[in-house]
Short mmCIF file of all heavy atoms in Angstrom, two decimals:
data_model
loop_
_atom_site.label_atom_id
_atom_site.label_comp_id
_atom_site.label_asym_id
_atom_site.label_seq_id
_atom_site.Cartn_x
_atom_site.Cartn_y
_atom_site.Cartn_z
N LEU A 374 82.73 79.78 59.22
CA LEU A 374 83.58 80.43 60.22
C LEU A 374 85.01 79.92 60.12
O LEU A 374 85.96 80.72 60.19
CB LEU A 374 83.03 80.18 61.63
CG LEU A 374 83.87 80.73 62.79
CD1 LEU A 374 84.01 82.24 62.67
CD2 LEU A 374 83.24 80.36 64.13
N SER A 375 85.19 78.62 59.94
CA SER A 375 86.54 78.06 59.80
C SER A 375 87.26 78.67 58.61
O SER A 375 88.44 79.01 58.68
CB SER A 375 86.46 76.55 59.63
OG SER A 375 85.94 75.94 60.79
N ARG A 376 86.55 78.79 57.49
CA ARG A 376 87.18 79.36 56.29
C ARG A 376 87.56 80.82 56.49
O ARG A 376 88.62 81.26 56.03
CB ARG A 376 86.23 79.19 55.10
CG ARG A 376 86.13 77.76 54.58
CD ARG A 376 85.35 77.70 53.28
NE ARG A 376 83.94 77.96 53.49
CZ ARG A 376 83.05 77.02 53.77
NH1 ARG A 376 83.42 75.76 53.87
NH2 ARG A 376 81.77 77.33 53.94
N ARG A 377 86.70 81.58 57.17
CA ARG A 377 87.01 82.99 57.39
C ARG A 377 88.20 83.15 58.32
O ARG A 377 89.07 84.00 58.09
CB ARG A 377 85.79 83.72 57.97
CG ARG A 377 84.60 83.81 57.04
CD ARG A 377 83.65 84.93 57.44
NE ARG A 377 83.27 84.88 58.84
CZ ARG A 377 82.24 84.20 59.33
NH1 ARG A 377 81.50 83.46 58.53
NH2 ARG A 377 81.95 84.24 60.62
N LEU A 378 88.25 82.34 59.38
CA LEU A 378 89.39 82.41 60.29
C LEU A 378 90.68 81.99 59.59
O LEU A 378 91.74 82.61 59.79
CB LEU A 378 89.14 81.50 61.50
CG LEU A 378 88.06 81.95 62.48
CD1 LEU A 378 87.81 80.89 63.54
CD2 LEU A 378 88.44 83.26 63.15
N ALA A 379 90.59 80.95 58.76
CA ALA A 379 91.77 80.51 58.01
C ALA A 379 92.25 81.60 57.07
O ALA A 379 93.45 81.87 56.96
CB ALA A 379 91.45 79.23 57.23
N GLY A 380 91.30 82.24 56.39
CA GLY A 380 91.67 83.32 55.47
C GLY A 380 92.33 84.48 56.19
O GLY A 380 93.30 85.07 55.69
N GLN A 381 91.83 84.80 57.38
CA GLN A 381 92.40 85.89 58.17
C GLN A 381 93.83 85.55 58.60
O GLN A 381 94.73 86.39 58.50
CB GLN A 381 91.52 86.14 59.39
CG GLN A 381 91.86 87.39 60.17
CD GLN A 381 90.85 87.67 61.27
OE1 GLN A 381 89.77 87.08 61.30
NE2 GLN A 381 91.20 88.55 62.18
N LEU A 382 94.04 84.32 59.05
CA LEU A 382 95.38 83.90 59.47
C LEU A 382 96.33 83.87 58.29
O LEU A 382 97.49 84.32 58.39
CB LEU A 382 95.31 82.52 60.13
CG LEU A 382 96.64 81.92 60.61
CD1 LEU A 382 97.28 82.80 61.67
CD2 LEU A 382 96.43 80.51 61.14
N LEU A 383 95.86 83.37 57.14
CA LEU A 383 96.72 83.28 55.95
C LEU A 383 97.14 84.66 55.48
O LEU A 383 98.30 84.88 55.13
CB LEU A 383 95.98 82.55 54.83
CG LEU A 383 95.77 81.04 55.01
CD1 LEU A 383 94.92 80.48 53.88
CD2 LEU A 383 97.10 80.33 55.06
N THR A 384 96.19 85.58 55.44
CA THR A 384 96.51 86.95 54.98
C THR A 384 97.55 87.58 55.89
O THR A 384 98.51 88.21 55.42
CB THR A 384 95.23 87.81 54.97
OG1 THR A 384 94.27 87.21 54.09
CG2 THR A 384 95.54 89.22 54.51
N TRP A 385 97.38 87.41 57.19
CA TRP A 385 98.35 87.98 58.14
C TRP A 385 99.72 87.35 57.95
O TRP A 385 100.74 88.06 57.93
CB TRP A 385 97.84 87.77 59.56
CG TRP A 385 98.82 88.20 60.61
CD1 TRP A 385 99.11 89.48 60.99
CD2 TRP A 385 99.64 87.35 61.41
NE1 TRP A 385 100.07 89.47 61.99
CE2 TRP A 385 100.41 88.18 62.26
CE3 TRP A 385 99.80 85.97 61.50
CZ2 TRP A 385 101.32 87.67 63.17
CZ3 TRP A 385 100.70 85.46 62.41
CH2 TRP A 385 101.45 86.30 63.24
N MET A 386 99.78 86.03 57.83
CA MET A 386 101.07 85.35 57.68
C MET A 386 101.77 85.78 56.39
O MET A 386 102.99 85.89 56.34
CB MET A 386 100.87 83.84 57.70
CG MET A 386 100.45 83.28 59.05
SD MET A 386 100.25 81.48 59.07
CE MET A 386 101.97 80.96 58.87
N GLN A 387 100.98 86.03 55.36
CA GLN A 387 101.55 86.41 54.07
C GLN A 387 102.09 87.83 54.08
O GLN A 387 103.13 88.12 53.48
CB GLN A 387 100.49 86.27 52.98
CG GLN A 387 101.01 86.49 51.56
CD GLN A 387 101.92 85.38 51.10
OE1 GLN A 387 101.74 84.23 51.50
NE2 GLN A 387 102.89 85.69 50.28
N GLU A 388 101.40 88.75 54.78
CA GLU A 388 101.70 90.17 54.66
C GLU A 388 102.51 90.74 55.82
O GLU A 388 103.06 91.84 55.71
CB GLU A 388 100.39 90.96 54.54
CG GLU A 388 99.59 90.60 53.29
CD GLU A 388 98.28 91.36 53.21
OE1 GLU A 388 97.96 92.09 54.19
OE2 GLU A 388 97.58 91.23 52.20
N ARG A 389 102.58 90.05 56.93
CA ARG A 389 103.22 90.64 58.11
C ARG A 389 104.71 90.86 57.89
O ARG A 389 105.35 90.15 57.10
CB ARG A 389 103.00 89.76 59.34
CG ARG A 389 103.69 88.42 59.26
CD ARG A 389 103.41 87.57 60.49
NE ARG A 389 103.92 86.22 60.33
CZ ARG A 389 105.17 85.87 60.52
NH1 ARG A 389 106.06 86.79 60.87
NH2 ARG A 389 105.57 84.63 60.36
N THR A 390 105.24 91.84 58.59
CA THR A 390 106.67 92.16 58.51
C THR A 390 107.37 91.97 59.86
O THR A 390 108.56 92.17 59.97
CB THR A 390 106.86 93.62 58.05
OG1 THR A 390 106.17 94.50 58.95
CG2 THR A 390 106.30 93.81 56.64
N SER A 391 106.62 91.60 60.90
CA SER A 391 107.21 91.42 62.22
C SER A 391 107.97 90.10 62.30
O SER A 391 107.77 89.20 61.47
CB SER A 391 106.11 91.45 63.30
OG SER A 391 105.14 90.45 63.02
N ASP A 392 108.84 89.98 63.30
CA ASP A 392 109.64 88.76 63.49
C ASP A 392 108.90 87.78 64.40
O ASP A 392 109.41 87.37 65.45
CB ASP A 392 111.00 89.12 64.10
CG ASP A 392 111.93 89.76 63.08
OD1 ASP A 392 111.83 89.41 61.90
OD2 ASP A 392 112.74 90.61 63.47
N VAL A 393 107.70 87.43 64.02
CA VAL A 393 106.90 86.46 64.76
C VAL A 393 107.04 85.10 64.08
O VAL A 393 106.81 84.99 62.89
CB VAL A 393 105.42 86.87 64.82
CG1 VAL A 393 104.60 85.82 65.58
CG2 VAL A 393 105.26 88.23 65.46
N VAL A 394 107.42 84.09 64.85
CA VAL A 394 107.47 82.73 64.33
C VAL A 394 106.18 82.03 64.74
O VAL A 394 105.89 81.90 65.93
CB VAL A 394 108.69 81.95 64.86
CG1 VAL A 394 108.66 80.51 64.36
CG2 VAL A 394 109.98 82.64 64.41
N VAL A 395 105.40 81.60 63.76
CA VAL A 395 104.16 80.89 64.02
C VAL A 395 104.44 79.39 64.02
O VAL A 395 105.01 78.85 63.07
CB VAL A 395 103.09 81.21 62.95
CG1 VAL A 395 101.82 80.40 63.21
CG2 VAL A 395 102.78 82.70 62.96
N ILE A 396 104.08 78.73 65.11
CA ILE A 396 104.16 77.27 65.18
C ILE A 396 102.74 76.74 65.36
O ILE A 396 101.98 77.26 66.17
CB ILE A 396 105.03 76.80 66.35
CG1 ILE A 396 106.47 77.30 66.19
CG2 ILE A 396 105.04 75.27 66.44
CD1 ILE A 396 107.40 76.88 67.33
N ALA A 397 102.40 75.74 64.57
CA ALA A 397 101.08 75.11 64.70
C ALA A 397 101.26 73.61 64.83
O ALA A 397 102.09 73.01 64.13
CB ALA A 397 100.22 75.43 63.48
N SER A 398 100.49 73.01 65.74
CA SER A 398 100.53 71.56 65.87
C SER A 398 99.26 70.98 65.27
O SER A 398 98.17 71.53 65.43
CB SER A 398 100.64 71.15 67.34
OG SER A 398 99.43 71.43 68.04
N VAL A 399 99.40 69.90 64.54
CA VAL A 399 98.25 69.23 63.93
C VAL A 399 98.42 67.72 64.08
O VAL A 399 99.54 67.20 64.10
CB VAL A 399 98.07 69.58 62.44
CG1 VAL A 399 97.86 71.07 62.25
CG2 VAL A 399 99.26 69.12 61.62
N ASN A 400 97.30 67.04 64.19
CA ASN A 400 97.31 65.58 64.16
C ASN A 400 96.98 65.06 62.77
O ASN A 400 97.55 64.07 62.31
CB ASN A 400 96.29 65.03 65.17
CG ASN A 400 96.62 65.41 66.60
OD1 ASN A 400 97.79 65.53 66.96
ND2 ASN A 400 95.61 65.63 67.42
N ARG A 401 96.06 65.73 62.09
CA ARG A 401 95.61 65.29 60.77
C ARG A 401 95.72 66.45 59.78
O ARG A 401 94.90 67.36 59.79
CB ARG A 401 94.18 64.79 60.82
CG ARG A 401 94.00 63.51 61.66
CD ARG A 401 92.57 63.02 61.59
NE ARG A 401 92.41 61.75 62.29
CZ ARG A 401 92.63 60.56 61.74
NH1 ARG A 401 93.04 60.47 60.48
NH2 ARG A 401 92.44 59.45 62.44
N MET A 402 96.71 66.41 58.92
CA MET A 402 96.91 67.48 57.95
C MET A 402 95.80 67.53 56.91
O MET A 402 95.55 68.58 56.30
CB MET A 402 98.26 67.32 57.26
CG MET A 402 99.44 67.69 58.13
SD MET A 402 100.99 67.77 57.21
CE MET A 402 100.67 69.17 56.13
N GLU A 403 95.11 66.40 56.68
CA GLU A 403 94.07 66.39 55.65
C GLU A 403 92.88 67.27 56.02
O GLU A 403 92.06 67.61 55.16
CB GLU A 403 93.59 64.96 55.38
CG GLU A 403 92.94 64.26 56.56
CD GLU A 403 93.93 63.46 57.39
OE1 GLU A 403 95.12 63.80 57.38
OE2 GLU A 403 93.50 62.48 58.04
N TRP A 404 92.76 67.65 57.31
CA TRP A 404 91.67 68.54 57.71
C TRP A 404 91.99 70.01 57.41
O TRP A 404 91.09 70.85 57.47
CB TRP A 404 91.41 68.38 59.21
CG TRP A 404 90.72 67.09 59.56
CD1 TRP A 404 90.21 66.17 58.70
CD2 TRP A 404 90.47 66.60 60.88
NE1 TRP A 404 89.65 65.13 59.38
CE2 TRP A 404 89.80 65.36 60.74
CE3 TRP A 404 90.74 67.06 62.16
CZ2 TRP A 404 89.40 64.59 61.83
CZ3 TRP A 404 90.35 66.30 63.25
CH2 TRP A 404 89.68 65.07 63.09
#
Side-chain angles (χ1 to χ4, degrees):
L374 177 59
S375 296
R376 286 189 289 271
R377 294 200 309 272
L378 290 174
Q381 190 173 346
L382 179 62
L383 289 175
T384 301
W385 175 75
M386 291 181 68
Q387 186 70 32
E388 298 178 355
R389 66 182 173 81
T390 58
S391 57
D392 286 328
V393 179
V394 176
V395 177
I396 299 179
S398 70
V399 300
N400 298 327
R401 294 184 175 274
M402 286 190 66
E403 63 268 26
W404 287 352

